Amino acid sequence: MIAEPPGRATSDTTGEPPDLRATGLRLGYDKLVVVDDLEVAIPPGRITVIVGANACGKSTLLQALARLLPPRAGAVELDGRSIQSMPTRQVARRIGILPQSPVAPAGLTVIDLVTRGRAPHQNWWRQWSTTDERAVHEALTATDMLELAHRPVDELSGGQRQRAWIAMSIAQGTPVLLLDEPTTFLDLAHQIDVLDLVVDLNRQEHRTVVMVLHDLNQASRYADHLIAMKAGRIVAQGAPAEVITTELVEQVFDLDCRITVDPVTGTPMIIPVGRHHRAGTTPLAVA
């Protein structure tokens, strides 16, 4: 068990939420252009979810917003400054990213992993402090990982492991948090647990969150702002109730569906039709 340090950690989540946007963005790998002439402004202090079919450019866009992928044209701007012109440490204090399926070194404990989130705040004249200690403790508490702090990350379940990585991102103290498919490989209960935690971070700490999700119903439930992409372009964005239509799902995912209202949240709920359930076909037998 880790003793709680006195006071509360300070972080960059205080004050006005950062303004993060992209203009005229072109992104690619080698000779392949994935995103071209893209314009997007991330709503400050809200939860934005990016959806789209595989290879449409969702994760590529997220990498550019995190300064991990330099644009071939256009710019990503943070508070009016090109993110490419900013020092790496300064960006890392403002934007945190959790990539797909991160891997920790063998034997690394949870607390060691979470402690790494404080690296952007360290330099030769500012070493480990009580502020860092509080930030780590609060991150472990927020993710319900205190009891597992000294366990090796590679011995945890999938849900626990994902919470450990999110704890590292929380400890980093950034006002913007980018999450690339944070629910991948998790069972349904752990998916909801992770997404509820993201909402807590947004509502309680006013962090701007941008997530890539595959599940349209979860995206509709948890997004304040939804961005739908196809072939490297944004085809629709706005509140889920405005964006999610049968026509949009057909255009973006090539999927016949019906839209109803989620009885729990009142948000759009997508019901796929499928070849075996179209009108005039014989229903599948239920055991």
Side-chain angles (χ1 to χ4, degrees):
M1 191 71 175
I2 301 173
E4 180 178 0
R8 179 171 176 81
T10 57
S11 75
D12 287 335
T13 58
T14 57
E16 290 296 317
D19 179 56
L20 181 63
R21 63 183 62 236
T23 56
L25 202 60
R26 179 185 299 160
L27 305 168
Y29 308 96
D30 297 325
K31 296 182 179 181
L32 176 67
V33 174
V34 179
V35 169
D36 195 20
D37 197 25
L38 185 142
E39 308 272 338
V40 64
I42 303 300
R46 310 299 294 276
I47 296 177
T48 296
V49 177
I50 307 173
V51 298
N54 290 339
C56 74
K58 305 184 298 296
S59 296
T60 301
L61 172 59
L62 208 68
Q63 290 179 51
L65 293 176
R67 197 173 174 262
L68 299 179
L69 182 65
R72 294 185 176 181
V76 174
E77 296 180 352
L78 179 63
D79 292 330
R81 293 180 58 190
S82 168
I83 202 170
Q84 295 297 320
S85 69
M86 298 173 66
T88 299
R89 190 179 297 274
Q90 184 178 356
V91 174
R93 289 176 178 174
R94 304 289 284 166
I95 299 176
I97 183 167
L98 179 62
Q100 293 182 35
S101 307
V103 178
L108 189 75
T109 64
V110 170
I111 192 168
D112 288 338
L113 175 66
V114 177
T115 296
R116 293 187 176 198
R118 299 302 297 170
H121 303 274
Q122 309 297 313
N123 46 48
W124 67 268
W125 69 85
R126 185 196 180 282
Q127 300 300 314
W128 192 259
S129 68
T130 55
T131 297
D132 299 311
E133 199 72 32
R134 285 194 295 269
V136 170
H137 186 277
E138 290 169 7
L140 290 168
T141 301
T143 53
D144 196 25
M145 294 297 289
L146 268 177
E147 297 293 336
L148 300 173
H150 298 289
R151 286 273 303 276
V153 175
D154 50 15
E155 292 182 5
L156 301 177
S157 69
Q160 292 169 337
R161 193 177 302 119
Q162 196 72 332
R163 289 206 308 274
W165 282 100
I166 292 176
M168 186 191 74
S169 300
I170 295 173
Q172 192 173 337
T174 58
V176 179
L177 188 57
L178 311 178
L179 305 171
D180 195 356
E181 299 184 27
T183 58
T184 300
F185 306 126
L186 301 183
D187 61 44
L188 184 57
H190 285 120
Q191 290 177 29
I192 300 304
D193 186 38
V194 165
L195 293 172
D196 282 345
L197 173 59
V198 169
V199 173
D200 291 340
L201 294 174
N202 171 256
R203 293 180 180 174
Q204 297 172 13
E205 301 189 12
H206 312 292
R207 301 195 191 212
T208 300
V209 178
V210 185
M211 289 191 289
V212 170
L213 292 179
H214 274 298
D215 190 307
L216 275 179
N217 288 325
Q218 289 181 356
S220 295
R221 271 194 171 197
Y222 287 92
D224 300 311
H225 186 76
L226 198 65
I227 296 175
M229 293 185 64
K230 180 177 182 179
R233 297 181 181 273
I234 294 175
V235 297
Q237 61 178 315
E242 300 170 354
V243 171
I244 297 297
T245 64
T246 55
E247 293 79 13
L248 185 281
V249 176
E250 171 70 29
Q251 178 186 3
V252 172
F253 294 95
D254 193 24
L255 177 68
D256 186 14
C257 72
R258 303 293 179 266
I259 307 293
T260 186
V261 176
D262 187 318
V264 175
T265 61
T267 52
M269 187 167 70
I270 298 90
I271 303 174
V273 174
R275 291 187 297 107
H276 295 287
H277 294 90
R278 290 192 175 95
T281 61
T282 303
L284 295 176
V286 179

